[in-house]
Amino acid sequence: MTTAHARGPAPAAADRATADPDRPVTMADVAAAAGVSVKTVSNVLAGHAHVRPATRDRVLAAVAALGYRVNPFASRLRSGRTGVIAFALPHLYQPYFGDLAERVIAEGERRGLTVVIEPTDAVAAAERAVLTGGRRQQVDGAIVSPAALSPAEVERLRVEGPVVLLGPRLGAPPADQAVMDDRGAARTAVAHLLATGRRRIAAIGATPRGGSAALREAGYRDALAAAGVPVDYALVLDAPDWDRRSSGAAAAVRLLGSGAAFDAVFCFNDAMAFGALRVLASRGLRVPDDVAVVGFDDTEQARFSTPPLTSVDPGQEQIARTAVELLVDRIGGYAGEPRVVVAEHRLAVRESSGGPRTPVA
Amino acid sequence: MAVTMQDVARRAAVSVKTVSRVVNDEPHISPDKRARVLAAIDELSYRLNPAARTLRTGRSGVIGLGLPDLREPYYAELAHAVLQQAGRRGLTVLVDPTGGDRDRELALLRGRGGGLDGVLLYALGVGAGDADAAALPAVLLGERVEPGAAAAVDADPAVAAAVAHLVETGRRRIAVLGADPRPGSPGARRTAAFRRAACDAGLDVDEALLLDVGPRWGRQAGAEAAARLLDSGRPVDALIAHTDALALGALRAALDRGLRVPEDLAVVGSGDTEDARYAVPSLTSIAQGTSEVAGTAVALLEDRIEGRAPRDDGAKAAAAVELRLRESTLGVGVA
């Protein structure tokens, strides 16, 4: 379905500002700016596979340059679509998800899609509703990061509609997955502490629920084993609520109260690391001189904490980009077997583990 | 002015009936007419009146929540509070990040893609007048709103309390992060409150200490503004930031420069977020009654969705604000 020929030639992009600055940008404007047909623009935005990469890039560049946004209503009439996708996550106040949400939004914007966030509050019924097509009236598809549903429950679900799953890698995923290498990234973080001479490394964030916590704990053990350091379970601390700084603070208080000697702490996410940093400061312990601290997620706040936090970036940018790409394919009708893309991680070394000063401004 | 079906008909040079038939996906319309109508809808940004559709299809149980920035801890905590309140009423919340951009805020007020029963909007770009033009039940929240029309935060008394506290602890040269030249914006209002309080306390306001940090009040913006100020050599002994994120950025910039907080520079944030409580040093911050704002906003919206008369306590919906004193103004180990 096209719109341009019905009202004559589309104005060139450069003429828009002079013509009528208040007129919304249309698909025809994007087509004119990219030098392609409206049909091609429509194909690119719908994620159809048979568009040459160079053409696709030109169209996406024009979308960005003109600030084109899909008119959800018109789009729904044409194609039955809304031009809106949802990102369902447990909590926005958990810094990792706030950061990731901003990246997914930017990625959607690049493709002219509106992204809405559904915070599920880690309620299983809400997660199930999104995964089984409960938001079809509002959105064309969803990126979902389950927190309440266990990996086994997710695998058993009959997923409805276009869905991409984040979270730990599943053995038999019911939908496409954009995942991080939880175990490998944790191993990298702990190997860094070992390489800088730490031997009594505590781990904060273990839970009996499996999923990411179990994988990160396995990565912690992998790194210790590779360095010939035995695991001391007095140094492995539970923290059931990953989303709160208070959880990391409470674990640090327990660790200090136990009397166990330690010279480093690896926290299974940044939120808990900020809680641990706060407790160490209150007790007069110097970071990193007395205790080195490493987080996981490399959130924005990691650059701003006192001291700035060394953290492993699980590949946020790549996860956001891949998740939107996979979802756009599915919305466009791709019906192949579930695909899994594993992001590459990277360690950001800052002062909390003896790294260089990293002024923010 | 909302675009009507008549406008679409005129632009497409067809009858209103034809527009209606295209919109309702009825058969037997020539492809040419259909294309013309769709082009006109696209050009005029026309949206179906969701209220009319609700009559036909019933409610979705989903509301939209527009917020400027998801990385800003205050908005994230506000979203959580709204979610809790809405969840109790069986409503699902879809959060729409607006970047504080007026067009995006208006798009949400017009119902975006459809399927929403109502909208809550933390408005930076639109004002109370725009909410009346909303195409579906809507409630504005935040500071840039008129009393009675929304769930309002009146931060003025807390800004005054912050100035009084800083003066009491011996500060004379107080900077402001988030001074915003746009009339009626939260930044402009708070900065006006700062001027009044500073005047009451007998301070001379140095205009060079009132810093516009741009539209996004995040950590990086706070760090950059504070760095420019501190590097300018202009004397300053305290700083009031209009969000905790700005304050955390300023805190980092000060510490990077070897300054001691609060001995060399006292720092006050706003939002009383978890980030403020766990910062090193912990951050003195203005609590904005997040859960009250959320509770009032959801209750007001529910009234509007149900078509009940607006409660007469709309004007009283202003949340209690309060200054929470911590280490960044009192000293390490004190609070």
Side-chain angles (χ1 to χ4, degrees):
Chain A
M1 186 72 53
T2 64
T3 62
H5 52 253
R7 54 183 165 80
D15 297 340
R16 275 184 37 75
T18 49
D20 178 3
D22 289 335
R23 187 173 69 75
V25 181
T26 64
M27 214 180 263
D29 298 327
V30 174
V36 299
S37 71
V38 173
K39 179 75 189 158
T40 302
V41 175
S42 169
N43 283 342
V44 169
L45 294 174
H48 292 317
H50 49 266
V51 180
R52 283 187 305 128
T55 308
R56 174 186 305 266
D57 289 349
R58 236 172 37 240
V59 169
L60 290 177
V63 165
L66 296 176
Y68 173 74
R69 297 184 71 75
V70 173
N71 174 344
F73 183 59
S75 154
R76 168 171 268 185
L77 287 176
R78 265 187 219 105
S79 60
R81 291 184 199 146
T82 60
V84 183
I85 60 174
F87 177 17
L89 47 77
H91 301 294
L92 276 170
Y93 60 73
Q94 143 71 295
Y96 171 69
F97 286 113
D99 283 14
L100 188 60
E102 287 287 350
R103 290 182 200 271
V104 169
I105 290 156
E107 195 54 40
E109 208 155 74
R110 220 169 64 79
R111 295 166 171 275
L113 290 170
T114 298
V115 178
V116 297
I117 308 301
E118 178 171 351
T120 59
D121 205 14
V123 170
E127 294 177 356
R128 214 174 281 122
V130 186
L131 287 168
T132 55
R135 302 289 175 260
R136 206 172 293 149
Q137 202 187 337
Q138 290 80 23
V139 302
D140 297 334
I143 297 166
V144 184
S145 186
L149 295 174
S150 71
E153 286 171 305
V154 173
E155 286 181 9
R156 281 198 304 271
L157 276 181
R158 190 197 303 267
V159 167
E160 294 276 344
V163 163
V164 173
L165 285 161
L166 309 184
R169 182 172 187 169
L170 300 172
D176 291 340
Q177 278 208 286
V179 298
M180 59 182 73
D181 177 8
D182 284 286
R183 185 169 182 162
R187 187 169 53 226
T188 299
V190 176
H192 160 69
L193 289 166
L194 290 160
T196 52
R198 311 286 169 160
R199 283 297 175 274
R200 298 281 302 162
I201 302 170
I204 290 181
T207 78
R209 283 193 47 243
S212 293
L215 292 169
R216 291 179 199 182
E217 191 182 329
Y220 163 80
R221 286 199 308 264
D222 290 346
L224 293 181
V229 175
V231 175
D232 177 353
Y233 281 94
L235 296 182
V236 178
L237 291 110
D238 279 10
D241 185 357
W242 274 28
D243 296 326
R244 290 291 189 190
R245 291 157 187 77
S246 53
S247 227
V253 168
R254 276 205 317 282
L255 176 61
L256 288 162
S258 75
F262 65 100
D263 57 13
V265 181
F266 167 51
C267 296
F268 289 2
N269 71 21
D270 282 2
M272 291 186 286
F274 301 136
L277 280 176
R278 177 64 248 183
V279 168
L280 295 170
S282 293
R283 300 295 176 95
L285 290 165
R286 293 165 308 157
V287 176
D289 307 45
D290 301 323
V291 180
V293 179
V294 173
F296 190 114
D297 287 340
D298 195 26
T299 57
E300 185 181 47
Q301 175 62 15
R303 295 190 292 120
F304 290 88
S305 62
T306 308
L309 180 68
T310 295
S311 188
V312 55
D313 172 4
Q316 274 199 40
E317 185 102 49
Q318 193 187 351
I319 290 169
R321 192 176 61 244
T322 308
V324 173
E325 274 168 11
L326 293 173
L327 187 62
V328 166
D329 277 359
R330 291 287 174 183
I331 293 170
Y334 176 77
E337 287 298 301
R339 298 162 293 178
V340 178
V341 178
V342 182
E344 287 174 33
H345 63 271
R346 182 189 62 84
L347 187 71
V349 179
R350 303 195 180 91
E351 286 173 69
S352 72
S353 67
R357 293 189 60 235
T358 49
V360 291
Chain B
M1 222 343 229
V3 178
T4 65
M5 215 176 258
Q6 280 83 354
D7 298 330
V8 175
R10 230 182 341 266
R11 175 70 63 111
V14 298
S15 69
V16 174
K17 180 70 194 156
T18 302
V19 176
S20 165
R21 288 170 62 199
V22 171
V23 164
N24 291 311
D25 220 8
E26 289 172 28
H28 311 307
I29 295 172
S30 77
D32 171 57
K33 274 189 182 166
R34 187 175 148 82
R36 252 157 52 208
V37 169
L38 291 174
I41 285 171
D42 202 11
E43 268 195 82
L44 298 171
S45 293
Y46 171 73
R47 259 72 162 181
L48 187 61
N49 179 351
R53 187 172 40 195
T54 297
L55 287 176
R56 290 200 305 278
T57 64
R59 301 210 177 97
S60 63
V62 180
I63 60 172
L65 168 64
L67 292 174
D69 186 349
L70 304 181
R71 274 187 180 170
E72 221 276 80
Y74 172 69
Y75 297 127
E77 294 190 7
L78 183 61
H80 182 64
V82 166
L83 181 66
Q84 302 264 305
Q85 295 285 345
R88 259 173 237 153
R89 295 167 161 86
L91 294 170
T92 295
V93 181
L94 294 181
V95 181
D96 214 319
T98 62
D101 177 61
R102 186 164 185 274
D103 288 343
R104 287 168 70 172
E105 292 181 351
L106 284 173
L108 179 59
L109 286 175
R110 288 175 190 142
R112 212 187 342 91
L116 300 178
D117 290 346
V119 167
L120 295 173
L121 175 63
Y122 192 103
L124 290 184
V126 307
D130 293 312
D132 293 339
L136 69 174
V139 170
L140 299 189
L141 57 161
E143 296 174 52
R144 188 183 176 150
V145 292
E146 306 300 323
V153 176
D154 179 8
D156 293 7
V159 172
V163 172
H165 168 62
L166 291 172
V167 170
E168 242 176 81
T169 50
R171 312 290 165 167
R172 307 291 300 170
R173 303 273 310 161
I174 305 173
V176 171
L177 289 196
D180 186 332
R182 292 177 297 177
S185 67
R189 291 176 55 134
R190 285 183 174 223
T191 307
F194 170 78
R195 282 177 196 281
R196 286 193 298 276
C199 188
D200 289 347
L203 297 180
D204 295 325
V205 174
D206 179 352
E207 297 296 323
L209 296 184
L210 308 181
L211 305 176
D212 178 10
V213 300
R216 295 191 74 158
W217 289 358
R219 297 175 183 90
Q220 188 63 37
E224 285 168 11
R228 275 195 306 276
L229 174 64
L230 296 170
D231 294 343
S232 74
R234 193 169 275 274
V236 55
D237 57 18
L239 189 152
I240 296 177
H242 289 338
T243 64
D244 282 347
L246 285 173
L248 292 166
L251 181 64
R252 182 75 255 142
L255 297 176
D256 279 344
R257 281 161 178 73
L259 296 178
R260 295 164 305 161
V261 175
E263 291 86 344
D264 302 319
L265 183 75
V267 178
V268 177
S270 185
D272 190 34
T273 59
E274 209 180 352
D275 272 304
R277 298 194 286 280
Y278 283 90
V280 179
S282 59
L283 191 63
T284 293
S285 184
I286 295 171
Q288 305 189 135
T290 309
S291 59
E292 289 160 86
V293 171
T296 307
V298 174
L300 285 171
L301 183 62
E302 200 179 35
D303 283 352
R304 289 180 189 190
I305 292 172
E306 305 285 342
R308 284 195 292 266
R311 297 172 190 209
D312 59 5
D313 63 353
K316 283 180 272 170
V321 295
E322 190 191 336
L323 185 66
R324 301 266 157 82
L325 301 180
R326 300 203 181 88
E327 293 175 341
S328 68
T329 59
L330 289 173
V332 171
V334 176

